[in-house]
């Protein structure tokens, strides 16, 4: 998380880095900062800059940045597991109540034996709520729907798995629909009903990590602002 963003002032209380790739940027890829803004960003930061960002859904929350993905957005499952275990070990010390996992890998075995799903179960058994992405594997490159595309650990019965809605930029819910790319169940091997819930995820405006890969490689995602108070539009579950 680029904790220096104006909308995250005082929000990030601690940073743990399991990637240790020598990156000089706190969030070289840019995804974590965008997610952090959706969770706990301050709406006041965007005043006079853009009306497209209205703050996070839990602006009173504090954040613990456990970095498990590299500068290209990929990483090792073992690092993700280590990150979850760090939270379990430190939850009482820092009063951590929720783990957000906006990540996933292909399901290759039952959730009963998948090491990442087992880490999620350990967290839930420790009293921590785990929220996981459903994944963005809802259709083929040709646009055909895919069933069974839920990613791990979203296939865990212990995770609250979230898919993406397209709100069509309107307030009313009558036109909302699950996005075509949002992964759908049933889960592979276990045939469980997932996702558990869906939430707005299409063309959502949140925070930009300065100089990050997403900002540089996809300049059209930029919405407003600059430096430590910039905003971009991304889609995903």
């Amino acid at each position: 998380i680029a904790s220096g963003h104006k909308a995250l002032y005082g929000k990030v209380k601690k940073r743990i880095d399991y990637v240790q790739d020598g990156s000089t940027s706190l969030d070289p890829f840019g995804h974590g900062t965008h997610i952090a803004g959706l969770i706990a960003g301050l709406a006041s930061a965007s005043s006079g800059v853009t009306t497209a960002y209205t703050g996070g859904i839990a602006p009173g929350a504090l954040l613990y940045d456990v970095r498990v993905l590299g500068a290209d957005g990929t990483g090792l499952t073992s690092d993700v597991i280590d990150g979850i275990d760090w939270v379990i070990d430190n939850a009482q010390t820092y009063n951590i109540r929720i783990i957000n996992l906006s990540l996933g890998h292909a399901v290759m075995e039952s959730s009963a034996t998948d090491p990442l799903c087992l880490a999620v179960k350990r967290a839930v058994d420790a009293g921590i709520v785990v929220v996981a992405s459903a994944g963005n594997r809802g259709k083929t490159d040709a646009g055909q729907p895919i069933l069974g595309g839920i990613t791990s650990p979203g296939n865990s019965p212990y995770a609250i798995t979230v898919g993406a809605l397209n709100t069509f930029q309107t307030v009313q819910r009558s036109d909302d629909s699950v996005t075509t790319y949002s992964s759908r169940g049933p889960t592979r091997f276990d045939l469980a009903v997932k996702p558990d819930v869906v939430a707005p995820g299409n063309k959502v405006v949140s925070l930009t990590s300065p100089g990050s890969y997403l900002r540089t490689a996809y300049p059209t995602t930029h919405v407003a602002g600059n430096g430590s108070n910039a905003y971009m539009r991304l889609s995903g579950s």
Side-chain angles (χ1 to χ4, degrees), residues 127-224:
I128 303 165
V129 174
V130 178
V131 182
S133 164
N136 302 320
R137 303 182 182 188
K139 63 179 179 180
T140 65
D141 292 340
Q144 297 300 312
I146 295 175
L147 299 180
I150 301 291
T151 54
S152 173
N155 63 318
S156 168
Y158 296 92
I160 298 175
T161 305
V162 186
L165 276 178
N166 187 345
T167 66
F168 296 97
Q169 309 299 307
T170 64
V171 175
Q172 66 268 20
R173 299 183 182 181
S174 58
D175 61 349
D176 291 0
S177 64
V178 177
T179 63
T180 56
Y181 57 77
S182 186
S183 293
R184 293 161 168 77
T187 61
R188 191 180 180 194
F189 299 111
D190 301 325
L191 303 181
V193 177
K194 289 281 185 173
D196 299 294
V197 296
V198 288
N202 204 62
K203 298 180 179 179
V204 177
V205 174
S206 189
L207 317 184
T208 301
S209 175
S212 62
Y213 171 82
L214 289 176
R215 172 68 180 89
T216 304
Y218 302 97
T220 57
T221 61
H222 178 67
V223 171

Side-chain angles (χ1 to χ4, degrees), residues 28-177:
F29 186 63
H31 183 262
T33 301
H34 197 270
I35 297 299
L38 294 175
I39 294 172
L42 301 173
S44 57
S46 63
S47 178
V49 179
T50 178
T51 58
Y53 178 72
T54 56
I57 58 172
L62 299 177
L63 302 172
Y64 289 81
D65 179 9
V66 184
R67 183 174 181 237
V68 295
L69 299 180
D72 62 355
T74 68
L76 301 175
T77 299
S78 57
D79 286 342
V80 181
I81 293 171
D82 284 344
I84 293 172
D85 284 336
W86 182 89
V87 175
I88 295 171
D89 293 340
N90 292 274
Q92 290 190 345
T93 300
Y94 298 113
N95 191 30
I96 300 174
R97 298 168 56 194
I98 300 171
I99 296 176
N100 181 77
L101 296 170
S102 294
L103 48 77
H105 65 63
V107 173
M108 303 303 292
E109 59 188 301
S110 167
S111 63
T113 56
D114 182 333
L116 186 52
C117 291
L118 292 176
V120 167
K121 183 181 184 300
R122 287 197 297 275
V124 173
D125 287 344
I128 303 165
V129 174
V130 178
V131 182
S133 164
N136 302 320
R137 303 182 182 188
K139 63 179 179 180
T140 65
D141 292 340
Q144 297 300 312
I146 295 175
L147 299 180
I150 301 291
T151 54
S152 173
N155 63 318
S156 168
Y158 296 92
I160 298 175
T161 305
V162 186
L165 276 178
N166 187 345
T167 66
F168 296 97
Q169 309 299 307
T170 64
V171 175
Q172 66 268 20
R173 299 183 182 181
S174 58
D175 61 349
D176 291 0
S177 64

Side-chain angles (χ1 to χ4, degrees), residues 21-26:
D21 56 0
S23 173
T24 57
S25 171
L26 293 181

